[in-house]
Amino acid sequence: MSTPPILVDQIIEARWIIPVEPDDTTLEHHSLVIQGERILDLLPTEQARQRYTARETTVLGEHILMPGLVNLHCHAAMTLLRGLADDLPLMRWLQEAIWPTEARHVGHAFVHDGSLLAAAEMLKGGITTCNDMYFYPDATAQAFARVGLRSVLGITVIDFPSGYGQNAEEYIAKGLAAREAWGQHPLIRFAIAPHAPYTVSDQNFERLGQLAEDLDLPIHVHLHETAQEVADSLRDHGQRPIARLDALGLLSPRLIAVHAVHLDETDRSTLAARGCSVAHCPTSNMKLASGAAPVADLVARGIPVGLGSDGAASNNRLDLLREMQQASLLAKLTTGDAAALPAHQILRMATLEGARALGMDADIGSLVPGKLADLCAVKLDAPETQPCYHPISHLVHVLGREAVSDVWVSGKRCLTQGKLLQITNTELLSVAQLWQNKIHL
Protein backbone atom coordinates (compact mmCIF):
# COMPACT_ATOMS: atom_id res chain seq x y z
CA MET A 1 0.00 0.00 0.00
CA SER A 2 1.42 3.40 -1.00
CA THR A 3 1.87 6.09 1.60
CA PRO A 4 -0.61 8.99 1.18
CA PRO A 5 0.96 12.38 0.44
CA ILE A 6 1.64 14.69 3.37
CA LEU A 7 -0.52 17.82 3.52
CA VAL A 8 1.55 21.01 3.79
CA ASP A 9 0.82 24.71 3.59
CA GLN A 10 2.78 25.65 0.46
CA ILE A 11 4.86 24.19 -2.32
CA ILE A 12 6.86 26.43 -4.65
CA GLU A 13 8.03 24.74 -7.85
CA ALA A 14 10.84 26.59 -9.60
CA ARG A 15 12.92 26.29 -12.74
CA TRP A 16 16.02 26.99 -10.63
CA ILE A 17 16.54 27.14 -6.87
CA ILE A 18 19.73 28.66 -5.47
CA PRO A 19 19.89 27.67 -1.80
CA VAL A 20 23.24 29.45 -1.03
CA GLU A 21 24.08 26.46 1.16
CA PRO A 22 25.86 24.42 -0.16
CA ASP A 23 27.90 27.19 -1.73
CA ASP A 24 27.77 27.71 -5.51
CA THR A 25 24.84 25.30 -5.93
CA THR A 26 22.03 25.63 -8.46
CA LEU A 27 19.18 23.11 -8.35
CA GLU A 28 17.08 22.64 -11.47
CA HIS A 29 13.39 21.72 -11.38
CA HIS A 30 13.21 21.57 -7.61
CA SER A 31 10.48 22.47 -5.14
CA LEU A 32 10.53 24.21 -1.78
CA VAL A 33 8.03 22.90 0.76
CA ILE A 34 6.77 25.29 3.46
CA GLN A 35 4.92 24.46 6.64
CA GLY A 36 3.86 27.48 8.64
CA GLU A 37 6.69 30.00 8.68
CA ARG A 38 9.51 27.58 7.93
CA ILE A 39 11.04 25.51 5.17
CA LEU A 40 10.10 21.86 5.57
CA ASP A 41 11.85 20.33 2.56
CA LEU A 42 13.78 21.03 -0.62
CA LEU A 43 13.72 18.28 -3.22
CA PRO A 44 13.23 17.54 -6.95
CA THR A 45 9.80 18.58 -8.14
CA GLU A 46 8.76 15.12 -9.28
CA GLN A 47 9.53 13.74 -5.85
CA ALA A 48 7.73 16.62 -4.16
CA ARG A 49 4.58 15.93 -6.18
CA GLN A 50 4.61 12.34 -4.98
CA ARG A 51 5.45 13.04 -1.34
CA TYR A 52 3.38 16.16 -0.61
CA THR A 53 0.09 17.84 -1.36
CA ALA A 54 -0.30 21.54 -0.61
CA ARG A 55 -2.99 23.99 0.30
CA GLU A 56 -1.26 26.42 -2.09
CA THR A 57 1.09 25.64 -4.96
CA THR A 58 3.07 28.29 -6.83
CA VAL A 59 4.69 27.39 -10.15
CA LEU A 60 7.66 29.53 -11.15
CA GLY A 61 8.34 28.17 -14.60
CA GLU A 62 11.10 30.57 -15.69
CA HIS A 63 12.31 31.86 -12.36
CA ILE A 64 15.16 31.67 -9.88
CA LEU A 65 14.00 31.09 -6.31
CA MET A 66 16.57 32.16 -3.73
CA PRO A 67 16.81 33.46 -0.16
CA GLY A 68 15.50 36.95 0.47
CA LEU A 69 18.27 39.55 0.37
CA VAL A 70 19.68 41.03 3.59
CA ASN A 71 20.37 44.76 3.52
CA LEU A 72 23.06 45.08 6.18
CA HIS A 73 23.08 48.88 6.38
CA CYS A 74 20.33 51.39 5.68
CA HIS A 75 18.84 54.68 6.85
CA ALA A 76 15.32 53.95 5.66
CA ALA A 77 13.65 57.24 6.56
CA MET A 78 16.17 59.16 4.47
CA THR A 79 14.31 57.93 1.40
CA LEU A 80 12.46 61.25 1.73
CA LEU A 81 15.80 62.98 1.00
CA ARG A 82 16.54 61.01 -2.17
CA GLY A 83 18.57 63.17 -4.56
CA LEU A 84 18.38 66.25 -2.35
CA ALA A 85 22.14 66.82 -2.16
CA ASP A 86 24.15 65.03 -4.83
CA ASP A 87 27.82 65.43 -5.79
CA LEU A 88 29.23 66.34 -2.37
CA PRO A 89 31.83 64.54 -0.22
CA LEU A 90 30.59 63.01 3.01
CA MET A 91 31.21 65.76 5.57
CA ARG A 92 29.98 68.59 3.33
CA TRP A 93 26.97 66.43 2.40
CA LEU A 94 26.18 65.95 6.10
CA GLN A 95 26.99 69.43 7.40
CA GLU A 96 25.64 71.57 4.55
CA ALA A 97 22.62 69.57 3.39
CA ILE A 98 21.50 66.55 5.39
CA TRP A 99 21.81 67.65 9.01
CA PRO A 100 20.15 71.07 8.45
CA THR A 101 17.27 69.46 6.54
CA GLU A 102 16.83 66.83 9.22
CA ALA A 103 16.78 69.52 11.91
CA ARG A 104 13.83 71.17 10.17
CA HIS A 105 11.78 68.10 9.32
CA VAL A 106 12.66 64.92 11.20
CA GLY A 107 9.95 63.68 13.55
CA HIS A 108 7.77 60.62 14.04
CA ALA A 109 5.72 61.28 10.88
CA PHE A 110 8.82 61.90 8.73
CA VAL A 111 10.44 58.68 9.89
CA HIS A 112 7.29 56.61 9.53
CA ASP A 113 6.52 57.82 6.04
CA GLY A 114 10.10 57.64 4.80
CA SER A 115 10.45 54.14 6.22
CA LEU A 116 7.20 53.09 4.57
CA LEU A 117 8.51 54.20 1.18
CA ALA A 118 11.81 52.46 1.87
CA ALA A 119 10.19 49.20 2.96
CA ALA A 120 8.10 49.10 -0.19
CA GLU A 121 11.15 49.76 -2.36
CA MET A 122 13.19 47.09 -0.62
CA LEU A 123 10.52 44.39 -0.79
CA LYS A 124 9.97 45.10 -4.48
CA GLY A 125 13.70 44.55 -4.96
CA GLY A 126 13.79 41.22 -3.13
CA ILE A 127 15.10 42.51 0.22
CA THR A 128 13.41 40.71 3.09
CA THR A 129 15.62 41.89 5.99
CA CYS A 130 16.92 45.39 6.70
CA ASN A 131 19.43 46.52 9.32
CA ASP A 132 18.42 50.14 9.91
CA MET A 133 19.98 53.06 11.77
CA TYR A 134 17.94 56.19 12.40
CA PHE A 135 15.97 58.18 14.93
CA TYR A 136 12.44 57.25 16.05
CA PRO A 137 12.81 53.47 15.70
CA ASP A 138 9.24 53.05 16.90
CA ALA A 139 8.04 54.85 13.76
CA THR A 140 10.24 52.67 11.56
CA ALA A 141 8.94 49.55 13.29
CA GLN A 142 5.35 50.60 12.57
CA ALA A 143 6.11 51.10 8.87
CA PHE A 144 8.13 47.92 8.42
CA ALA A 145 5.62 45.77 10.31
CA ARG A 146 2.77 47.04 8.17
CA VAL A 147 4.28 45.77 4.92
CA GLY A 148 5.93 42.68 6.42
CA LEU A 149 9.64 43.54 6.18
CA ARG A 150 11.94 41.80 8.68
CA SER A 151 14.26 44.27 10.39
CA VAL A 152 16.90 45.03 12.97
CA LEU A 153 16.40 48.59 14.21
CA GLY A 154 19.16 50.70 15.70
CA ILE A 155 19.04 52.27 19.15
CA THR A 156 20.81 55.24 17.59
CA VAL A 157 23.07 57.42 19.73
CA ILE A 158 25.02 60.59 18.99
CA ASP A 159 26.57 63.09 21.40
CA PHE A 160 24.83 66.22 20.15
CA PRO A 161 21.17 67.21 20.46
CA SER A 162 18.55 66.78 17.76
CA GLY A 163 14.79 66.94 17.47
CA TYR A 164 14.77 63.34 18.70
CA GLY A 165 16.81 63.80 21.88
CA GLN A 166 19.05 66.16 23.78
CA ASN A 167 21.80 63.77 24.86
CA ALA A 168 22.93 60.16 24.86
CA GLU A 169 20.81 59.34 27.90
CA GLU A 170 17.64 60.40 26.12
CA TYR A 171 18.56 58.59 22.88
CA ILE A 172 19.22 55.38 24.82
CA ALA A 173 16.04 55.67 26.90
CA LYS A 174 13.87 56.19 23.83
CA GLY A 175 15.54 53.35 21.94
CA LEU A 176 15.11 50.95 24.84
CA ALA A 177 11.45 51.97 25.17
CA ALA A 178 10.91 51.11 21.49
CA ARG A 179 12.63 47.78 22.01
CA GLU A 180 10.37 47.04 24.95
CA ALA A 181 7.26 47.97 22.95
CA TRP A 182 8.20 45.79 19.98
CA GLY A 183 10.01 43.02 21.82
CA GLN A 184 7.44 40.34 21.03
CA HIS A 185 6.97 41.15 17.34
CA PRO A 186 8.24 38.27 15.19
CA LEU A 187 9.77 40.53 12.51
CA ILE A 188 11.37 43.25 14.65
CA ARG A 189 14.71 43.08 16.45
CA PHE A 190 17.05 45.77 17.75
CA ALA A 191 20.75 46.68 17.74
CA ILE A 192 22.90 49.21 19.57
CA ALA A 193 23.79 51.89 17.01
CA PRO A 194 26.37 54.51 17.97
CA HIS A 195 26.50 56.69 14.88
CA ALA A 196 30.26 57.02 14.31
CA PRO A 197 33.59 57.65 16.07
CA TYR A 198 33.37 61.35 15.25
CA THR A 199 29.93 61.77 16.87
CA VAL A 200 30.24 59.55 19.99
CA SER A 201 32.54 60.02 23.00
CA ASP A 202 34.69 57.39 24.68
CA GLN A 203 32.40 57.40 27.69
CA ASN A 204 29.30 56.76 25.61
CA PHE A 205 31.02 54.12 23.49
CA GLU A 206 31.96 52.22 26.66
CA ARG A 207 28.43 52.53 27.97
CA LEU A 208 26.93 51.29 24.70
CA GLY A 209 29.36 48.40 24.48
CA GLN A 210 28.31 47.25 27.94
CA LEU A 211 24.64 47.67 27.05
CA ALA A 212 25.08 45.55 23.92
CA GLU A 213 26.74 42.83 25.97
CA ASP A 214 24.08 42.95 28.70
CA LEU A 215 21.21 42.73 26.19
CA ASP A 216 23.04 40.46 23.71
CA LEU A 217 22.53 42.86 20.80
CA PRO A 218 24.61 43.62 17.69
CA ILE A 219 26.54 46.89 17.51
CA HIS A 220 25.95 48.79 14.26
CA VAL A 221 28.42 51.65 13.67
CA HIS A 222 29.93 53.66 10.80
CA LEU A 223 33.68 52.99 10.94
CA HIS A 224 36.65 54.06 8.79
CA GLU A 225 34.36 55.47 6.10
CA THR A 226 36.67 58.29 4.97
CA ALA A 227 40.33 59.21 5.12
CA GLN A 228 39.34 62.38 6.97
CA GLU A 229 37.68 60.32 9.72
CA VAL A 230 40.93 58.43 10.28
CA ALA A 231 43.07 61.59 10.19
CA ASP A 232 40.78 63.40 12.63
CA SER A 233 40.89 60.44 15.01
CA LEU A 234 44.68 60.42 14.98
CA ARG A 235 44.65 64.15 15.71
CA ASP A 236 42.00 64.06 18.45
CA HIS A 237 42.59 60.66 20.07
CA GLY A 238 46.09 59.64 19.03
CA GLN A 239 44.63 56.43 17.57
CA ARG A 240 42.92 55.20 14.46
CA PRO A 241 39.18 54.63 15.05
CA ILE A 242 39.41 50.83 15.07
CA ALA A 243 42.24 50.90 17.62
CA ARG A 244 40.23 53.36 19.73
CA LEU A 245 37.12 51.18 19.73
CA ASP A 246 39.22 48.11 20.44
CA ALA A 247 40.70 49.80 23.50
CA LEU A 248 37.16 50.68 24.62
CA GLY A 249 36.09 47.04 24.37
CA LEU A 250 33.64 47.34 21.47
CA LEU A 251 35.30 45.04 18.96
CA SER A 252 33.78 41.55 19.09
CA PRO A 253 31.67 39.25 16.88
CA ARG A 254 28.68 41.44 17.66
CA LEU A 255 30.19 44.52 15.94
CA ILE A 256 29.19 45.43 12.37
CA ALA A 257 31.67 47.94 10.91
CA VAL A 258 29.82 49.92 8.24
CA HIS A 259 31.88 50.98 5.20
CA ALA A 260 35.36 49.97 6.51
CA VAL A 261 37.00 51.65 3.53
CA HIS A 262 40.31 53.00 4.83
CA LEU A 263 41.96 50.06 6.56
CA ASP A 264 45.66 49.45 7.06
CA GLU A 265 47.17 46.05 7.83
CA THR A 266 46.70 46.46 11.58
CA ASP A 267 43.05 47.48 11.14
CA ARG A 268 42.33 44.41 9.03
CA SER A 269 44.11 42.05 11.38
CA THR A 270 42.25 43.50 14.35
CA LEU A 271 38.84 43.11 12.72
CA ALA A 272 39.66 39.50 11.87
CA ALA A 273 41.06 38.69 15.30
CA ARG A 274 38.03 40.14 17.08
CA GLY A 275 35.52 38.37 14.81
CA CYS A 276 33.89 41.62 13.62
CA SER A 277 31.73 41.85 10.51
CA VAL A 278 31.70 44.49 7.76
CA ALA A 279 28.77 46.07 5.93
CA HIS A 280 30.05 46.90 2.45
CA CYS A 281 28.19 49.77 0.72
CA PRO A 282 29.90 50.08 -2.66
CA THR A 283 27.53 52.50 -4.39
CA SER A 284 27.39 54.97 -1.51
CA ASN A 285 31.16 54.82 -1.08
CA MET A 286 31.66 55.58 -4.77
CA LYS A 287 29.02 58.30 -4.93
CA LEU A 288 30.45 60.18 -1.94
CA ALA A 289 34.01 59.54 -3.23
CA SER A 290 34.84 57.89 0.10
CA GLY A 291 36.88 55.14 -1.54
CA ALA A 292 36.75 51.41 -2.18
CA ALA A 293 36.75 48.97 0.71
CA PRO A 294 39.33 46.13 0.44
CA VAL A 295 36.57 43.54 0.43
CA ALA A 296 38.38 40.72 -1.35
CA ASP A 297 41.13 40.86 1.27
CA LEU A 298 38.63 41.00 4.14
CA VAL A 299 36.81 37.95 2.80
CA ALA A 300 40.13 36.11 2.38
CA ARG A 301 40.82 36.78 6.06
CA GLY A 302 37.53 35.15 7.05
CA ILE A 303 35.79 38.38 8.00
CA PRO A 304 32.02 38.16 7.37
CA VAL A 305 31.14 40.81 4.79
CA GLY A 306 27.54 41.62 3.95
CA LEU A 307 26.12 44.20 1.56
CA GLY A 308 24.29 47.41 2.41
CA SER A 309 22.53 50.05 0.38
CA ASP A 310 23.12 52.90 2.84
CA GLY A 311 20.32 55.49 2.66
CA ALA A 312 18.59 56.67 -0.48
CA ALA A 313 20.01 60.14 0.18
CA SER A 314 23.51 58.88 -0.60
CA ASN A 315 22.97 56.07 -3.08
CA ASN A 316 20.17 56.89 -4.40
CA ARG A 317 18.50 53.43 -4.52
CA LEU A 318 17.76 50.78 -1.95
CA ASP A 319 18.66 48.09 -4.44
CA LEU A 320 20.77 45.14 -3.32
CA LEU A 321 20.83 43.56 -6.77
CA ARG A 322 22.69 46.64 -7.94
CA GLU A 323 24.95 46.51 -4.90
CA MET A 324 25.82 42.94 -5.84
CA GLN A 325 26.98 43.99 -9.28
CA GLN A 326 28.82 47.05 -7.98
CA ALA A 327 30.59 44.99 -5.32
CA SER A 328 31.68 42.43 -7.87
CA LEU A 329 32.98 44.91 -10.42
CA LEU A 330 34.65 47.15 -7.86
CA ALA A 331 36.55 44.23 -6.34
CA LYS A 332 37.82 43.16 -9.76
CA LEU A 333 38.84 46.71 -10.63
CA THR A 334 40.64 47.51 -7.40
CA THR A 335 42.49 44.20 -7.14
CA GLY A 336 43.30 43.84 -10.83
CA ASP A 337 42.02 40.30 -10.52
CA ALA A 338 39.08 39.26 -12.72
CA ALA A 339 38.54 36.24 -10.46
CA ALA A 340 38.02 38.35 -7.32
CA LEU A 341 34.67 37.80 -5.61
CA PRO A 342 32.94 35.47 -8.08
CA ALA A 343 29.18 35.65 -8.42
CA HIS A 344 28.36 32.91 -5.93
CA GLN A 345 30.46 34.68 -3.28
CA ILE A 346 28.68 37.97 -3.96
CA LEU A 347 25.28 36.28 -3.59
CA ARG A 348 26.41 34.78 -0.30
CA MET A 349 27.40 38.25 0.90
CA ALA A 350 23.93 39.57 0.03
CA THR A 351 22.20 36.77 1.92
CA LEU A 352 23.91 34.42 4.37
CA GLU A 353 26.84 36.66 5.34
CA GLY A 354 24.49 39.54 6.13
CA ALA A 355 22.40 37.20 8.24
CA ARG A 356 25.55 35.93 9.96
CA ALA A 357 26.63 39.48 10.82
CA LEU A 358 23.26 40.06 12.49
CA GLY A 359 23.42 36.77 14.38
CA MET A 360 20.41 35.53 12.41
CA ASP A 361 22.02 32.90 10.16
CA ALA A 362 20.31 30.06 12.04
CA ASP A 363 16.99 31.42 10.75
CA ILE A 364 17.57 33.24 7.45
CA GLY A 365 20.08 33.70 4.63
CA SER A 366 19.84 30.31 2.93
CA LEU A 367 17.20 27.79 1.87
CA VAL A 368 17.72 25.00 4.38
CA PRO A 369 14.96 22.94 6.01
CA GLY A 370 14.17 24.40 9.40
CA LYS A 371 14.93 27.99 8.44
CA LEU A 372 12.31 30.70 8.05
CA ALA A 373 10.82 30.91 4.56
CA ASP A 374 12.22 34.32 3.55
CA LEU A 375 12.26 34.01 -0.23
CA CYS A 376 12.72 35.98 -3.40
CA ALA A 377 11.71 34.90 -6.91
CA VAL A 378 13.35 36.51 -9.94
CA LYS A 379 11.98 35.94 -13.44
CA LEU A 380 14.09 35.22 -16.52
CA ASP A 381 11.41 35.27 -19.21
CA ALA A 382 12.54 38.37 -21.12
CA PRO A 383 14.74 38.15 -24.25
CA GLU A 384 17.36 40.37 -22.63
CA THR A 385 17.87 37.72 -19.95
CA GLN A 386 18.56 34.95 -22.46
CA PRO A 387 20.40 32.73 -22.98
CA CYS A 388 21.08 31.76 -19.37
CA TYR A 389 23.99 29.37 -18.83
CA HIS A 390 24.72 30.22 -15.20
CA PRO A 391 21.78 31.54 -13.12
CA ILE A 392 23.97 32.82 -10.27
CA SER A 393 25.99 34.88 -12.75
CA HIS A 394 22.73 36.28 -14.11
CA LEU A 395 21.70 37.42 -10.64
CA VAL A 396 24.87 39.48 -10.29
CA HIS A 397 25.56 40.66 -13.83
CA VAL A 398 22.28 40.63 -15.80
CA LEU A 399 19.16 40.99 -13.70
CA GLY A 400 17.84 44.18 -12.12
CA ARG A 401 15.28 44.64 -9.38
CA GLU A 402 12.51 44.95 -11.97
CA ALA A 403 12.91 41.20 -12.51
CA VAL A 404 11.81 40.44 -8.93
CA SER A 405 8.32 38.95 -9.16
CA ASP A 406 7.45 37.41 -5.79
CA VAL A 407 8.64 37.78 -2.20
CA TRP A 408 7.77 35.87 0.95
CA VAL A 409 8.71 36.69 4.56
CA SER A 410 8.21 33.89 7.08
CA GLY A 411 6.20 32.08 4.43
CA LYS A 412 3.78 34.98 4.00
CA ARG A 413 3.63 36.44 0.51
CA CYS A 414 4.41 40.17 0.46
CA LEU A 415 4.83 40.66 -3.31
CA THR A 416 3.11 38.84 -6.14
CA GLN A 417 3.90 39.43 -9.81
CA GLY A 418 5.68 42.63 -8.82
CA LYS A 419 2.75 44.02 -6.83
CA LEU A 420 2.88 44.73 -3.11
CA LEU A 421 0.02 43.17 -1.20
CA GLN A 422 -0.11 45.38 1.92
CA ILE A 423 -0.01 48.87 0.38
CA THR A 424 -0.88 50.54 -2.93
CA ASN A 425 1.27 52.64 -5.22
CA THR A 426 -1.34 55.38 -4.94
CA GLU A 427 -0.75 55.69 -1.19
CA LEU A 428 3.02 55.57 -1.58
CA LEU A 429 3.03 58.26 -4.27
CA SER A 430 0.80 60.46 -2.11
CA VAL A 431 3.20 60.14 0.81
CA ALA A 432 6.19 61.00 -1.36
CA GLN A 433 4.50 64.05 -2.87
CA LEU A 434 3.42 65.34 0.54
CA TRP A 435 6.98 65.35 1.84
CA GLN A 436 8.51 66.71 -1.34
CA ASN A 437 6.20 69.71 -1.03
CA LYS A 438 7.11 70.21 2.65
CA ILE A 439 10.86 69.86 2.21
CA HIS A 440 11.03 72.18 -0.79
CA LEU A 441 8.98 74.97 0.77
Side-chain angles (χ1 to χ4, degrees):
M1 180 180 294
S2 61
T3 303
I6 301 168
L7 179 63
V8 295
D9 290 329
Q10 294 186 67
I11 295 176
I12 304 173
E13 301 178 354
R15 174 68 176 82
W16 297 281
I17 294 182
I18 301 174
V20 176
E21 292 184 286
D23 196 24
D24 198 14
T25 298
T26 300
L27 306 173
E28 294 193 58
H29 302 295
H30 272 57
S31 291
L32 194 78
V33 182
I34 301 170
Q35 187 74 308
E37 297 181 340
R38 295 187 179 269
I39 300 167
L40 178 65
D41 206 348
L42 175 58
L43 70 172
T45 293
E46 288 304 316
Q47 293 181 24
R49 290 172 179 172
Q50 295 172 18
R51 190 175 303 175
Y52 299 101
T53 183
R55 294 181 176 89
E56 179 184 355
T57 298
T58 302
V59 178
L60 303 173
E62 294 298 330
H63 296 66
I64 297 169
L65 183 67
M66 65 180 185
L69 302 172
V70 178
N71 187 351
L72 193 54
H73 177 63
C74 186
H75 308 289
M78 296 180 78
T79 301
L80 293 177
L81 306 179
R82 190 195 315 267
L84 186 69
D86 287 339
D87 306 320
L88 293 173
L90 176 65
M91 295 313 298
R92 284 191 59 200
W93 176 79
L94 286 171
Q95 293 168 354
E96 297 176 17
I98 298 303
W99 286 342
T101 304
E102 288 179 323
R104 290 192 298 271
H105 295 287
V106 170
H108 189 280
F110 176 99
V111 174
H112 174 273
D113 291 354
S115 298
L116 194 63
L117 284 168
E121 180 179 357
M122 285 190 276
L123 283 170
K124 290 181 74 173
I127 296 168
T128 55
T129 298
C130 173
N131 184 34
D132 197 59
M133 177 194 286
Y134 209 65
F135 307 121
Y136 298 93
D138 180 71
T140 303
Q142 291 175 20
F144 285 3
R146 176 181 171 186
V147 298
L149 181 71
R150 190 182 305 283
S151 61
V152 178
L153 304 181
I155 298 173
T156 301
V157 178
I158 56 175
D159 277 0
F160 52 82
S162 69
Y164 177 57
Q166 292 304 302
N167 50 45
E169 288 72 23
E170 188 173 353
Y171 292 125
I172 293 169
K174 288 184 174 181
L176 291 176
R179 178 176 177 266
E180 179 68 21
W182 289 90
Q184 301 306 309
H185 196 284
L187 298 180
I188 307 294
R189 298 191 187 189
F190 283 80
I192 301 299
H195 172 259
Y198 53 88
T199 56
V200 179
S201 67
D202 285 1
Q203 180 182 0
N204 285 327
F205 266 128
E206 286 185 309
R207 180 179 177 185
L208 292 169
Q210 187 61 55
L211 187 61
E213 186 173 340
D214 292 344
L215 299 177
D216 191 23
L217 299 179
I219 299 172
H220 180 191
V221 58
H222 299 95
L223 193 58
H224 284 239
E225 183 174 2
T226 65
Q228 180 180 343
E229 174 195 333
V230 177
D232 289 349
S233 180
L234 287 168
R235 180 195 65 205
D236 297 337
H237 301 281
Q239 294 175 295
R240 295 169 69 85
I242 284 175
R244 177 183 162 215
L245 265 60
D246 192 28
L248 295 172
L250 266 77
L251 299 193
S252 75
R254 70 176 73 254
L255 185 129
I256 303 166
V258 181
H259 299 297
V261 172
H262 296 274
L263 304 175
D264 66 14
E265 175 62 30
T266 300
D267 298 328
R268 302 177 199 196
S269 297
T270 301
L271 289 176
R274 302 293 183 266
C276 302
S277 300
V278 167
H280 178 38
C281 306
T283 302
S284 177
N285 292 342
M286 287 189 285
K287 185 169 185 287
L288 294 171
S290 298
V295 174
D297 181 65
L298 299 180
V299 170
R301 293 169 186 258
I303 296 172
V305 179
L307 295 180
S309 65
D310 212 341
S314 64
N315 185 316
N316 298 8
R317 297 158 63 106
L318 309 181
D319 182 354
L320 227 60
L321 283 170
R322 185 171 76 160
E323 298 306 319
M324 287 166 61
Q325 184 183 51
Q326 300 279 50
S328 174
L329 299 181
L330 190 60
K332 297 175 190 307
L333 176 67
T334 55
T335 63
D337 179 7
L341 297 187
H344 68 90
Q345 203 162 33
I346 292 288
L347 178 60
R348 186 182 175 98
M349 288 166 60
T351 53
L352 189 59
E353 293 303 318
R356 179 182 170 194
L358 293 169
M360 298 171 70
D361 51 313
D363 280 325
I364 63 170
S366 60
L367 304 185
V368 174
K371 288 196 175 187
L372 293 165
D374 286 11
L375 316 169
C376 169
V378 185
K379 59 184 178 181
L380 283 82
D381 59 353
E384 58 269 23
T385 69
Q386 299 299 317
C388 178
Y389 303 111
H390 303 289
I392 299 178
S393 172
H394 262 47
L395 282 173
V396 175
H397 295 297
V398 176
L399 298 169
R401 65 181 178 184
E402 68 280 355
V404 174
S405 62
D406 299 85
V407 170
W408 295 258
V409 177
S410 284
K412 181 179 179 181
R413 194 188 293 265
C414 299
L415 185 80
T416 183
Q417 297 182 6
K419 182 178 180 181
L420 290 164
L421 298 181
Q422 306 302 325
I423 194 167
T424 66
N425 283 345
T426 300
E427 181 179 352
L428 292 168
L429 290 169
S430 176
V431 167
Q433 189 61 57
L434 170 71
W435 283 102
Q436 181 172 357
N437 292 339
K438 284 185 178 183
I439 290 169
H440 269 283
L441 287 177

